[in-house]
C-alpha cells in the first residue's frame, strides 16, 4: 500500500482510540503472568525505568515522523506504588516509536491535584525535534496519515526504529512515515535519545493542555 489515511476524532479529547480496547480487539493482550512476560518489549527505552503511574497529557498541532512503529506492552510501577489503585502496579500501553520526529506547538501537562505542571515548546516557528522518540500511552486522538504501512507485522521483526521492537507473536504495525494533526495523547512514559525543545516554558498553571 502506498498510503493509508486513518482519521481519528479529536474532539472531545478522550473520545479517540482507547489503546486498551484496541489491543484487546487485535489479540495482543494475554491473561496471566506468562502473557505479561511475552508483552514486555525488547529494547524499548521506556522499559528501563519504573513509571510513576500518573498519566500526563500531550498535545501538538502537528507531528511529523520518519520511521514509525507501534505495539502493545506492559509498564510497571514500583512495588506498592501509591498510584497503582486496582491495577496491581501494571499498566497496559501502546508503544509508539518514531526514529525522527518533529512536533509543532507541543504542550505537556500533568494534573497535580488542582494545579497543573505545564510544559510548552516549539510554538514560535521552530518545531520540537526528537530522535528515537518512544511514547507509552493508552489513548490518542488526531488525524493520522501513514505511508507504506504494514499492519499485523510480528513485533519482533520491526525495523523502522533502530533498537526498538517487541517480542515474538505480538501484533504490531510500522510505516515509513507518519503525520498526525491535532494530536492529543494520554501517556505514562516518554523517552528519547535526543530531545530539542526550542522556546521551552515550564510553569504551574490553573489549566492543562
Amino acid at each position: 500500500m502506498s498510503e493509508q489515511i486513518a482519521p481519528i476524532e479529536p474532539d472531545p479529547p478522550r473520545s479517540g482510540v482507547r489503546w486498551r480496547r484496541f489491543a484487546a480487539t487485535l489479540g495482543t493482550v494475554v491473561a496471566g503472568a506468562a502473557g505479561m512476560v511475552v508483552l514486555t518489549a525488547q529494547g524499548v527505552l521506556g522499559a528501563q525505568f519504573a513509571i510513576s503511574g500518573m498519566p500526563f497529557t500531550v498535545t501538538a498541532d502537528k507531528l511529523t515522523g520518519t520511521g514509525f512503529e507501534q505495539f502493545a506492552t506492559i509498564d510497571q510501577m514500583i512495588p506498592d506504588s501509591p498510584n497503582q489503585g486496582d491495577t496491581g502496579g501494571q499498566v497496559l500501553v501502546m508503544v509508539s516509536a518514531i526514529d525522527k520526529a518533529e512536533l509543532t506547538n507541543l504542550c505537556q501537562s500533568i494534573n497535580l491535584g488542582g494545579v497543573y505542571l505545564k510544559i510548552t515548546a516549539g510554538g514560535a516557528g521552530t518545531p520540537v525535534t526528537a530522535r528515537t522518540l518512544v511514547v507509552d500511552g493508552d489513548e490518542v486522538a488526531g488525524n493520522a496519515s501513514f505511508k507504506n504501512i504494514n499492519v499485523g507485522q510480528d513485533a519482533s521483526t520491526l525495523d523502522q526504529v533502530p533498537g526498538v521492537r517487541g517480542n515474538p507473536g505480538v501484533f504490531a504495525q510500522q510505516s515509513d512515515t507518519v503525520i498526525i494533526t491535532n494530536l492529543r495523547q494520554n501517556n505514562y512514559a516518554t523517552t528519547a535519545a535526543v530531545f530539542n525543545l526550542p522556546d521551552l516554558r515550564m510553569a504551574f498553571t490553573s489549566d492543562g493542555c
Side-chain angles (χ1 to χ4, degrees), residues 172-187:
Q173 57 186 6
Q174 69 173 14
S175 64
D176 291 348
T177 65
V178 60
I179 298 174
I180 304 177
T181 58
N182 298 321
L183 172 68
R184 189 175 187 89
Q185 293 177 301
N186 190 68
N187 296 336

PDB file of all heavy atoms in Angstrom, residues 172-187:
ATOM      1  N   ALA A 172       1.807  -5.956  15.732  1.00  0.00           N
ATOM      2  CA  ALA A 172       2.461  -4.659  15.587  1.00  0.00           C
ATOM      3  C   ALA A 172       2.160  -4.083  14.217  1.00  0.00           C
ATOM      4  O   ALA A 172       1.638  -4.760  13.329  1.00  0.00           O
ATOM      5  CB  ALA A 172       3.967  -4.798  15.782  1.00  0.00           C
ATOM      6  N   GLN A 173       2.499  -2.815  14.074  1.00  0.00           N
ATOM      7  CA  GLN A 173       2.429  -2.174  12.770  1.00  0.00           C
ATOM      8  C   GLN A 173       3.579  -1.178  12.654  1.00  0.00           C
ATOM      9  O   GLN A 173       4.093  -0.682  13.656  1.00  0.00           O
ATOM     10  CB  GLN A 173       1.097  -1.472  12.558  1.00  0.00           C
ATOM     11  CG  GLN A 173       0.734  -0.423  13.579  1.00  0.00           C
ATOM     12  CD  GLN A 173      -0.672   0.111  13.359  1.00  0.00           C
ATOM     13  OE1 GLN A 173      -1.427  -0.361  12.529  1.00  0.00           O
ATOM     14  NE2 GLN A 173      -1.022   1.126  14.123  1.00  0.00           N
ATOM     15  N   GLN A 174       4.007  -0.937  11.402  1.00  0.00           N
ATOM     16  CA  GLN A 174       5.054   0.043  11.178  1.00  0.00           C
ATOM     17  C   GLN A 174       4.865   0.674   9.808  1.00  0.00           C
ATOM     18  O   GLN A 174       4.185   0.130   8.942  1.00  0.00           O
ATOM     19  CB  GLN A 174       6.448  -0.581  11.290  1.00  0.00           C
ATOM     20  CG  GLN A 174       6.814  -1.554  10.193  1.00  0.00           C
ATOM     21  CD  GLN A 174       8.281  -1.994  10.303  1.00  0.00           C
ATOM     22  OE1 GLN A 174       8.956  -1.801  11.305  1.00  0.00           O
ATOM     23  NE2 GLN A 174       8.779  -2.598   9.236  1.00  0.00           N
ATOM     24  N   SER A 175       5.457   1.862   9.649  1.00  0.00           N
ATOM     25  CA  SER A 175       5.348   2.575   8.378  1.00  0.00           C
ATOM     26  C   SER A 175       6.586   3.425   8.166  1.00  0.00           C
ATOM     27  O   SER A 175       7.327   3.717   9.103  1.00  0.00           O
ATOM     28  CB  SER A 175       4.086   3.451   8.348  1.00  0.00           C
ATOM     29  OG  SER A 175       4.154   4.464   9.337  1.00  0.00           O
ATOM     30  N   ASP A 176       6.790   3.822   6.896  1.00  0.00           N
ATOM     31  CA  ASP A 176       7.932   4.676   6.568  1.00  0.00           C
ATOM     32  C   ASP A 176       7.793   6.044   7.206  1.00  0.00           C
ATOM     33  O   ASP A 176       8.772   6.612   7.706  1.00  0.00           O
ATOM     34  CB  ASP A 176       8.068   4.833   5.056  1.00  0.00           C
ATOM     35  CG  ASP A 176       8.500   3.546   4.366  1.00  0.00           C
ATOM     36  OD1 ASP A 176       8.918   2.600   5.068  1.00  0.00           O
ATOM     37  OD2 ASP A 176       8.407   3.478   3.127  1.00  0.00           O
ATOM     38  N   THR A 177       6.572   6.607   7.166  1.00  0.00           N
ATOM     39  CA  THR A 177       6.332   7.938   7.715  1.00  0.00           C
ATOM     40  C   THR A 177       4.990   7.973   8.423  1.00  0.00           C
ATOM     41  O   THR A 177       4.108   7.141   8.169  1.00  0.00           O
ATOM     42  CB  THR A 177       6.340   9.026   6.621  1.00  0.00           C
ATOM     43  OG1 THR A 177       5.246   8.798   5.727  1.00  0.00           O
ATOM     44  CG2 THR A 177       7.645   9.010   5.842  1.00  0.00           C
ATOM     45  N   VAL A 178       4.819   8.952   9.300  1.00  0.00           N
ATOM     46  CA  VAL A 178       3.542   9.196   9.959  1.00  0.00           C
ATOM     47  C   VAL A 178       3.363  10.702  10.110  1.00  0.00           C
ATOM     48  O   VAL A 178       4.322  11.423  10.408  1.00  0.00           O
ATOM     49  CB  VAL A 178       3.468   8.504  11.342  1.00  0.00           C
ATOM     50  CG1 VAL A 178       4.571   9.000  12.269  1.00  0.00           C
ATOM     51  CG2 VAL A 178       2.100   8.719  11.983  1.00  0.00           C
ATOM     52  N   ILE A 179       2.153  11.174   9.856  1.00  0.00           N
ATOM     53  CA  ILE A 179       1.791  12.567  10.085  1.00  0.00           C
ATOM     54  C   ILE A 179       0.489  12.577  10.876  1.00  0.00           C
ATOM     55  O   ILE A 179      -0.488  11.938  10.475  1.00  0.00           O
ATOM     56  CB  ILE A 179       1.611  13.346   8.773  1.00  0.00           C
ATOM     57  CG1 ILE A 179       2.915  13.376   7.978  1.00  0.00           C
ATOM     58  CG2 ILE A 179       1.134  14.778   9.057  1.00  0.00           C
ATOM     59  CD1 ILE A 179       2.771  14.004   6.603  1.00  0.00           C
ATOM     60  N   ILE A 180       0.481  13.266  12.008  1.00  0.00           N
ATOM     61  CA  ILE A 180      -0.725  13.373  12.830  1.00  0.00           C
ATOM     62  C   ILE A 180      -0.973  14.848  13.123  1.00  0.00           C
ATOM     63  O   ILE A 180      -0.091  15.532  13.662  1.00  0.00           O
ATOM     64  CB  ILE A 180      -0.600  12.598  14.149  1.00  0.00           C
ATOM     65  CG1 ILE A 180      -0.257  11.128  13.897  1.00  0.00           C
ATOM     66  CG2 ILE A 180      -1.910  12.695  14.938  1.00  0.00           C
ATOM     67  CD1 ILE A 180      -0.055  10.320  15.168  1.00  0.00           C
ATOM     68  N   THR A 181      -2.137  15.336  12.785  1.00  0.00           N
ATOM     69  CA  THR A 181      -2.527  16.707  13.109  1.00  0.00           C
ATOM     70  C   THR A 181      -3.526  16.690  14.258  1.00  0.00           C
ATOM     71  O   THR A 181      -4.236  15.711  14.465  1.00  0.00           O
ATOM     72  CB  THR A 181      -3.142  17.416  11.890  1.00  0.00           C
ATOM     73  OG1 THR A 181      -4.274  16.676  11.428  1.00  0.00           O
ATOM     74  CG2 THR A 181      -2.123  17.518  10.764  1.00  0.00           C
ATOM     75  N   ASN A 182      -3.564  17.789  15.025  1.00  0.00           N
ATOM     76  CA  ASN A 182      -4.435  17.895  16.201  1.00  0.00           C
ATOM     77  C   ASN A 182      -4.223  16.701  17.142  1.00  0.00           C
ATOM     78  O   ASN A 182      -5.168  16.091  17.631  1.00  0.00           O
ATOM     79  CB  ASN A 182      -5.901  17.987  15.783  1.00  0.00           C
ATOM     80  CG  ASN A 182      -6.177  19.214  14.946  1.00  0.00           C
ATOM     81  OD1 ASN A 182      -5.638  20.286  15.196  1.00  0.00           O
ATOM     82  ND2 ASN A 182      -7.012  19.065  13.930  1.00  0.00           N
ATOM     83  N   LEU A 183      -2.974  16.424  17.402  1.00  0.00           N
ATOM     84  CA  LEU A 183      -2.611  15.276  18.232  1.00  0.00           C
ATOM     85  C   LEU A 183      -2.959  15.515  19.698  1.00  0.00           C
ATOM     86  O   LEU A 183      -2.717  16.588  20.240  1.00  0.00           O
ATOM     87  CB  LEU A 183      -1.107  15.006  18.108  1.00  0.00           C
ATOM     88  CG  LEU A 183      -0.517  13.951  19.045  1.00  0.00           C
ATOM     89  CD1 LEU A 183      -1.041  12.564  18.690  1.00  0.00           C
ATOM     90  CD2 LEU A 183       1.005  13.990  18.982  1.00  0.00           C
ATOM     91  N   ARG A 184      -3.509  14.497  20.326  1.00  0.00           N
ATOM     92  CA  ARG A 184      -3.761  14.515  21.773  1.00  0.00           C
ATOM     93  C   ARG A 184      -3.536  13.107  22.299  1.00  0.00           C
ATOM     94  O   ARG A 184      -4.101  12.152  21.769  1.00  0.00           O
ATOM     95  CB  ARG A 184      -5.177  14.999  22.092  1.00  0.00           C
ATOM     96  CG  ARG A 184      -5.401  15.231  23.589  1.00  0.00           C
ATOM     97  CD  ARG A 184      -6.767  15.836  23.870  1.00  0.00           C
ATOM     98  NE  ARG A 184      -6.899  16.205  25.257  1.00  0.00           N
ATOM     99  CZ  ARG A 184      -6.568  17.383  25.775  1.00  0.00           C
ATOM    100  NH1 ARG A 184      -6.097  18.325  24.982  1.00  0.00           N
ATOM    101  NH2 ARG A 184      -6.717  17.648  27.057  1.00  0.00           N
ATOM    102  N   GLN A 185      -2.711  12.995  23.353  1.00  0.00           N
ATOM    103  CA  GLN A 185      -2.370  11.692  23.905  1.00  0.00           C
ATOM    104  C   GLN A 185      -2.510  11.677  25.418  1.00  0.00           C
ATOM    105  O   GLN A 185      -2.327  12.702  26.082  1.00  0.00           O
ATOM    106  CB  GLN A 185      -0.920  11.327  23.559  1.00  0.00           C
ATOM    107  CG  GLN A 185      -0.652  11.097  22.077  1.00  0.00           C
ATOM    108  CD  GLN A 185       0.814  10.816  21.828  1.00  0.00           C
ATOM    109  OE1 GLN A 185       1.684  11.624  22.133  1.00  0.00           O
ATOM    110  NE2 GLN A 185       1.088   9.663  21.266  1.00  0.00           N
ATOM    111  N   ASN A 186      -2.802  10.493  25.948  1.00  0.00           N
ATOM    112  CA  ASN A 186      -2.768  10.235  27.384  1.00  0.00           C
ATOM    113  C   ASN A 186      -1.611   9.263  27.607  1.00  0.00           C
ATOM    114  O   ASN A 186      -1.696   8.095  27.235  1.00  0.00           O
ATOM    115  CB  ASN A 186      -4.084   9.630  27.867  1.00  0.00           C
ATOM    116  CG  ASN A 186      -4.177   9.563  29.383  1.00  0.00           C
ATOM    117  OD1 ASN A 186      -4.254  10.578  30.050  1.00  0.00           O
ATOM    118  ND2 ASN A 186      -4.186   8.343  29.929  1.00  0.00           N
ATOM    119  N   ASN A 187      -0.521   9.747  28.195  1.00  0.00           N
ATOM    120  CA  ASN A 187       0.721   8.983  28.264  1.00  0.00           C
ATOM    121  C   ASN A 187       1.135   8.668  29.694  1.00  0.00           C
ATOM    122  O   ASN A 187       0.726   9.330  30.643  1.00  0.00           O
ATOM    123  CB  ASN A 187       1.850   9.759  27.579  1.00  0.00           C
ATOM    124  CG  ASN A 187       1.602   9.955  26.091  1.00  0.00           C
ATOM    125  OD1 ASN A 187       0.863   9.195  25.464  1.00  0.00           O
ATOM    126  ND2 ASN A 187       2.217  10.970  25.517  1.00  0.00           N
TER     127      ASN A 187
END
